Amino acid sequence: MTVDDTAARIRTTGKPRFVSAQDVAHRAGVSRSAVSRAFTPGASIAEETRKKVIKAAAELGYQVNDLARGLLANHSRLVGIVATKPEVGFRADLTAALAKALIRRGSVPLLINTGETKDELAAAQQTLFGHRAEATIILSGSPPASFVDLARRNGQPLVVIGRSEPETDHVMVDNSAAARLAARLFVARGFTRLGLAGSRSATPSIVEREQAFCDEAARLGARVAVARGTDTDYAGGLAAGRALLAGQPRPRAIFCVNDLVALGVTDAARTDLALAVPGDVAVIGFDDIPQADWLAYRLTTFRQDAELMAGRAVAVLDARQRRPTGPLISERIEARLVVRHSFVPKP
């Protein structure tokens, strides 16, 4: 069979057809089992035969059916990445980094967007567990605990990123340490009227940042005005910023629970009230998304390293698969302060 033969078959039948191992065997003039051995590491096959098979496979565009191999071995190589709104903010960077890390590992990433309705959630669960994923990685945000419970009942290795679930391996950024540092840096510059731009989404990471910032500010004798948008996005930041900056006395510095919120707060200050950032109000964000470095914002923020977190999550997954009954694994990663224009700490 040639490439032209395959194309002709698609045109006449209307059905696409993958090049099969039998097609490769026919072109190479070898048996079907010889093709299988040529693509099986360590299998016994003459070097001349292997070269003929590889040449024929390249000419036809043949790829090994890893899905079929996985089903036969009860090892799918699929790893579910479960997220709510994976396209938003830092989750988009983390999802991309996880996909790359899993592909390097030899796994097949399966992105599961949980959606926001009961029906969407049920469909997401059916997709993940119906495809017999061998492991699951759940991102911070709002994927419900039912995903965690279902993964456990299906015997899947499970890693949770950015949140903590009972009896579950997890990788987290140190939200509390970063938020407390933000409060200390503001107070060290003499700012005692502070603002917190939060979110009513109340995800675990957001709650931890809000609580730590408020607690540290109170310990240092600073006053904190709190405003929350509906979600941790730009629109939520605009709403929180407008609420904070319309009040009196106006906060001199605002800690934002993520960068998208910080961008909204910054635009609320500059556009609505013609305030200068940082001259009239200083702003610190969290995540260090690409937009934080745009010239329009130059946002001081705490960096979450998506590549580092993805690598740690895959390492935890590997460790769990090696020792299914080993002790729980907990990784905590520092969020490093990146100083730009929106706030410069006291030297």
Side-chain angles (χ1 to χ4, degrees), residues 12-324:
T12 56
T13 66
K15 296 179 180 179
R17 177 182 181 277
F18 286 103
V19 177
S20 69
Q22 187 58 52
D23 297 332
V24 176
H26 179 74
R27 187 176 184 87
V30 300
S31 67
R32 167 65 179 77
S33 62
V35 175
S36 178
R37 291 196 302 276
F39 288 97
T40 301
S44 176
I45 183 172
E47 182 61 20
E48 183 181 350
T49 302
R50 190 188 71 81
K51 288 180 178 179
K52 287 169 63 178
V53 170
I54 297 300
K55 181 175 182 292
E59 290 170 349
L60 292 174
Y62 171 74
Q63 297 291 322
V64 175
N65 188 340
D66 286 326
L67 181 59
R69 283 189 171 187
L71 291 173
L72 289 172
N74 196 27
H75 184 66
S76 73
R77 295 175 57 225
L78 295 174
V79 176
I81 302 173
V82 179
T84 301
K85 295 184 178 179
E87 74 282 5
V88 174
F90 176 71
R91 282 197 296 275
D93 299 331
L94 182 55
T95 299
L98 281 168
K100 289 193 294 185
L102 288 169
I103 290 170
R104 286 195 299 268
R105 179 183 188 255
S107 298
V108 180
L110 177 64
L111 176 60
I112 303 295
N113 185 342
T114 63
E116 299 179 76
T117 69
K118 185 176 180 180
D119 288 344
E120 289 172 336
L121 176 62
Q125 290 178 335
Q126 176 59 43
T127 299
L128 176 62
F129 299 105
H131 281 77
R132 298 296 189 269
E134 71 174 52
T136 297
I137 299 174
I138 295 182
L139 275 57
S140 178
S142 36
S146 59
F147 261 99
V148 176
D149 180 60
L150 202 52
R152 286 202 198 99
R153 285 190 278 127
N154 278 272
Q156 280 191 349
L158 175 68
V159 179
V160 177
I161 298 181
R163 57 196 278 182
S164 179
E165 296 283 348
E167 300 300 310
T168 303
D169 299 327
H170 63 265
V171 176
M172 296 184 68
V173 70
D174 198 340
N175 295 297
S176 179
R180 290 179 182 279
L181 177 58
R184 292 198 299 273
L185 292 174
F186 282 156
V187 173
R189 283 298 304 265
F191 303 154
T192 56
R193 297 194 315 274
L194 307 181
L196 170 71
S199 168
R200 290 196 289 274
S201 65
T203 62
S205 292
I206 297 304
V207 170
E208 186 178 7
R209 291 169 201 171
E210 290 183 356
Q211 190 64 55
F213 179 79
C214 290
D215 287 350
E216 186 69 6
R219 188 185 71 81
L220 296 170
R223 296 171 56 190
V224 181
V226 178
R228 295 183 175 90
T230 301
D231 208 344
T232 48
D233 56 10
Y234 178 82
L238 272 177
R242 286 167 176 163
L244 286 170
L245 297 170
Q248 293 297 330
R250 190 165 56 220
R252 182 60 184 83
I254 300 175
F255 174 60
C256 304
V257 293
N258 75 5
D259 285 349
L260 288 177
V261 169
L263 302 187
V265 167
T266 300
D267 284 345
R270 297 187 305 196
T271 304
D272 290 4
L273 297 169
L275 298 175
V277 177
D280 296 315
V281 58
V283 178
I284 293 180
F286 202 110
D287 285 341
D288 198 26
I289 61 175
Q291 296 92 322
D293 197 31
W294 287 1
L295 292 177
Y297 296 103
R298 298 293 293 150
L299 181 67
T300 294
T301 186
F302 289 96
R303 175 171 174 74
Q304 292 201 76
D305 189 325
E307 299 285 344
L308 175 61
M309 293 187 76
R312 294 280 183 89
V314 170
V316 169
L317 183 60
D318 288 339
R320 176 56 59 208
Q321 289 187 317
R322 287 193 301 269
R323 296 187 62 194

